[in-house]
Amino acid sequence: MSIEIKLKKGLDLHLAGAVADPKAAPVKCQSDTVAVTPDDFTGIVPKTEVHEGDKVLAGQPLLRSKMCESLKIVSPAAGTVTAVVRGERRKIERIVVKVDPTGEALRHNTKDALKGRDQARDLLLASGLWAFTRQRPYDIVTLPEAEIRDIFVVGFDTAPLAVSDDSFTPDALEAGVKLLALLTDGKVYVSRRQGSSLPDIKGAEMVDVKGPHPAGTAGPLIAAIRPVNKGETVMTLSIETLERIGRLVLTGVVPMTTTVAVTGSEVTEPHTASCLIGSEIKPLLQVCIDDDHRHHRIISGNVLTGVKVGIDGYLQFPYTQITVIPEGDDVDEFMGWASLSPKKMSQSMSFPSHLFGRHRNFSPDARLLGGRRAMIMSGEYDKVFPMDILPEYLIKAIIAKDIDRMEQLGIYEVAPEDFALAEYVDTSKLELQKIVRQGLDYLRKELS
Amino acid sequence: MKALKKLMDKARPAFEPGGKLHAFRSVYDGMDTFLFTPRETSKSGVHIHDSMDSKRTMIIVVLALMPCLFFGMYNCGYQHWLACGATEFPFWELLLYGFLAILPAIVVSYVVGLGIEFCVAQWRGEEIQEGFLVTGMLIPMICPIETPLWMIAVATAFSVIFVKEVFGGTGYNIFNVALVTRAFLFFSYPSKMSGDNVFISHDSILGLGGMAPDGFSGATPLGQVAVSGADSAQGVAQAMTDVAGNPIDLWHMFLGLIPGSFAETSTLCILIGAAILLFTRIASWRIVLSVFAGGAVMALIAHCFATPTYPASFLSVGDQLCLGGFAFAAVFMAPDPVTSCRTNVGKYIYGFLVGVVAILIRTYNNGYPEGAMLAVLLMNALAPLIDYCVVEANVRRRMRRVAAKQ
């Protein structure tokens, strides 16, 4: 028995630069160094566990949370810590580890892990995989002391140009679910695209989802099954993390490799690559960026929720995609607002692309394409927001810092990523994800 | 284009802080962003944005107004020729006459309104906003052609400052700026905004047209009905005549060759505008549809219970929807996204009530033959209340869920 969800609202963006053959074997990619970026793990105030020059094993903690000592972020590779990069006010920006290909991985004792909730949690915390999970409310790394109502595993990715892998080892998934089930009195839900080859996983409630993006994110899944109420906590994680958990349980070692989709209109041959998590961007993009002297924007992640990184940057969590698009700050467009070009990507019927180019792939750049305004048009966000929430009103409550109103309008149910599509279609070009992030942080600060 | 870009880039330093022309920064910014899409790229959140922006939104509304504007020009000439007793109606002369008659009003409205907008943008250190592009075009279009220019200037200044800027500018106003301008004129200078003599241009312009004779009646059909004292549908039909005394039927009302505020007479042209706005999804179909539905329902009720006390109640549903500013308000005023309801359910209620109230006022108030303006303004004031109720329903659902858990 599985649950079926059909999303009507949402939007699939057709971008150029998709991986032609997602089933092809990924290209192996070596990176000299790997890095851990604490900012990826929202909610953790990091403290270093290592110093420059220290030798570490793969899976050995590099950072721990100041608030909760047992919550660790671990090294993706064995090697030597070469840099602890700090920014303003000594904030840790990144820890870089020089990879030693012959180095070993930290082995965990998983014998007792399935014996009880505490043991299961301790294993996840010690292995660093706990940091790969998120909780709602607040969209932060799950608090170890939280009482978890349900766990939602997102089984596929519908983000623009993302590649959804469904070749997971069933044993590992089953073992992962077994461990997760210990953490909650509720259920473990695993979503899958309707028609995907992912089999039912023992112990988990399978959820078949149909519809456009954001079908492959946690927000609509939770909203459709059991929305988060005040005082409740749910955990969300991706199926990649679930498989890692399963492999950890089965073998005692956390697998640190990942498959990355290298995509975007500026990539000559979009492909998938296999590398260590936290790898350097450079080897992944070698020989595959268009050399046309235009400015490029390299994004770790997808165009909606990813992080801008430089060519010297590193792959950042959730480690499954790189997108390269034109930056656009070197383009002079005469009266762009009046354009009738079929190359302009828009949801508005006033652009010819909407009439004639429904199935063409667009190569948008990173420009805002308009000035920032107050919220003028109404109902824009609703069309791409498949949850029983009034996004305009919630955003206004957040801007007004009205905590009661935020609670009433459902702030506990949302994460910034839920607003990504709304931010894309917004004609007023408001920074919705930033607003929601600030709102969540404000709420957490005020209520703690 | 490169030369123009170079010119703009060369001029930029003078407008930056410390530059000689810094006091005109908002004007420069306005020009620059109008001519060239800003190079600013996304700094947080999504990396790509939809190509639609508020400039394009506003310009499309202005485009949608064009059929009404051109028809208004022609009709202005036509009514003038008719009042002068002409029997031939040379198309281009009529159009040119109308163009010359409306041009000063458009110029005044834009100069005053945009002038204030530029000053406020400069003062607040913000980018100039496009909202007034539409408002500035709407103002002359909904006023009688004989409105003195200084009145338009005063009313525009009042509305832009006290209805828009004091609330924070485009996107924050509670009332529709163009309609408040119209209401300000109506209540401050009633003799110039209604009656027999204001809807038809009297004088010749640059040698075009003639001098209209004194004493002709150029009242709008609704005005004629209100004072007719008719006690039957036939009586009402007879009361409605054009300037030359010929009867007006539904087809005339639909085409719009009748006296009225400059651009609101032609239902046909308004429907063309509506098609543009609905196709591009800039106007909410929920609102437009429900305004017409509300108007039709109320007109039907009034017609079924027609009474000689209120002659307008004898008008048929079609007459009611085609006459006066109803259709114009339904398409261009009621769906203003800033002042109407923002929730989908709210839009239906808001639109329906706009329609009902507009017909209610014009039918059951003989002293006030047009109700669309007041209906939209009234509903502007009530829109937040309607939205509040819809939002509360959403909140209650959530609260019930929490209560059920405990």
Side-chain angles (χ1 to χ4, degrees), chain A residues 247-324:
Chain A
R247 285 183 185 265
L248 167 69
V249 173
L250 296 177
T251 65
V253 176
V254 181
M256 291 294 185
T257 52
T258 183
T259 306
V260 180
V262 182
T263 60
S265 60
E266 302 306 288
V267 175
T268 43
E269 272 174 46
H271 61 280
T272 53
S274 153
C275 64
L276 283 170
I277 62 179
S279 278
E280 292 171 26
I281 296 284
K282 210 178 217 162
L284 281 165
L285 287 179
Q286 225 153 31
V287 301
C288 58
I289 291 194
D290 273 342
D291 186 21
D292 52 6
H293 305 292
R294 287 202 291 175
H295 295 178
H296 293 131
R297 172 173 291 219
I298 301 166
I299 303 158
S300 173
N302 62 63
V303 287
L304 294 175
T305 56
V307 188
K308 181 181 170 181
V309 291
I311 186 77
D312 298 325
Y314 291 85
L315 196 58
Q316 291 186 221
F317 183 75
Y319 314 119
T320 53
Q321 193 179 356
I322 293 178
T323 314
V324 188

Side-chain angles (χ1 to χ4, degrees), chain B residues 112-135:
Chain B
V112 172
L114 282 182
I116 294 170
E117 291 260 357
F118 274 115
C119 293
V120 172
Q122 180 73 33
W123 175 49
R124 288 209 186 114
E126 286 172 358
E127 199 181 321
I128 178 90
Q129 305 190 345
E130 303 82 3
F132 195 77
L133 288 180
V134 174
T135 314

Side-chain angles (χ1 to χ4, degrees), chain A residues 335 346-347 373 392 429, chain B residues 35 50 130 342 398 405:
Chain A
M335 302 231 294
S346 174
Q347 276 314 100
R373 297 288 179 267
E392 283 175 26
K429 319 288 176 190
Chain B
L35 289 173
D50 194 291
E130 303 82 3
R342 299 189 74 87
R398 188 161 293 111
K405 191 189 67 166

Side-chain angles (χ1 to χ4, degrees), chain A residues 14-17 265 342-346 353-354 357-364:
Chain A
H14 299 284
L15 303 186
S265 60
K343 288 182 184 159
K344 284 263 180 180
M345 180 166 159
S346 174
S353 60
H354 208 91
R358 291 220 161 181
H359 300 290
R360 75 180 285 157
N361 291 327
F362 297 91
S363 327

Side-chain angles (χ1 to χ4, degrees), chain B residues 270-282:
Chain B
I270 292 166
L271 289 181
I272 297 173
I276 297 174
L277 291 184
L278 293 178
F279 177 74
T280 54
R281 294 185 195 147
I282 286 171

Side-chain angles (χ1 to χ4, degrees), chain A residues 230, chain B residues 399-406:
Chain A
K230 185 179 181 178
Chain B
M399 293 300 132
R400 260 206 301 273
R401 227 168 52 208
V402 179
K405 191 189 67 166
Q406 285 159 357

Side-chain angles (χ1 to χ4, degrees), chain B residues 66-89:
Chain B
M66 286 301 118
C68 290
L69 182 73
F70 286 117
F71 186 86
M73 289 178 192
Y74 179 78
N75 188 39
C76 172
Y78 177 79
Q79 297 300 332
H80 176 75
W81 254 251
L82 208 58
C84 294
T87 50
E88 282 182 14
F89 301 96

Side-chain angles (χ1 to χ4, degrees), chain A residues 229 232 297 303 306 327 333 335 337 339 345-347 350 366 373 377 388 392 408 413 429, chain B residues 34-35 37 39-42 44 47 50-52 56 130 279 342 347 387 392 397-398 401 405:
Chain A
N229 296 311
E232 295 175 342
R297 172 173 291 219
V303 287
E327 179 73 28
E333 193 182 1
M335 302 231 294
W337 55 267
S339 172
M345 180 166 159
S346 174
Q347 276 314 100
S350 71
R373 297 288 179 267
M377 301 303 285
D388 183 25
E392 283 175 26
Q408 290 172 348
E413 299 163 45
K429 319 288 176 190
Chain B
F34 180 85
L35 289 173
T37 304
R39 284 178 163 194
E40 188 184 357
T41 55
S42 137
S44 81
H47 298 273
D50 194 291
S51 302
M52 194 66 181
R56 193 176 177 97
E130 303 82 3
F279 177 74
R342 299 189 74 87
K347 281 172 185 166
D387 275 341
E392 280 312 293
R397 268 201 299 282
R398 188 161 293 111
R401 227 168 52 208
K405 191 189 67 166

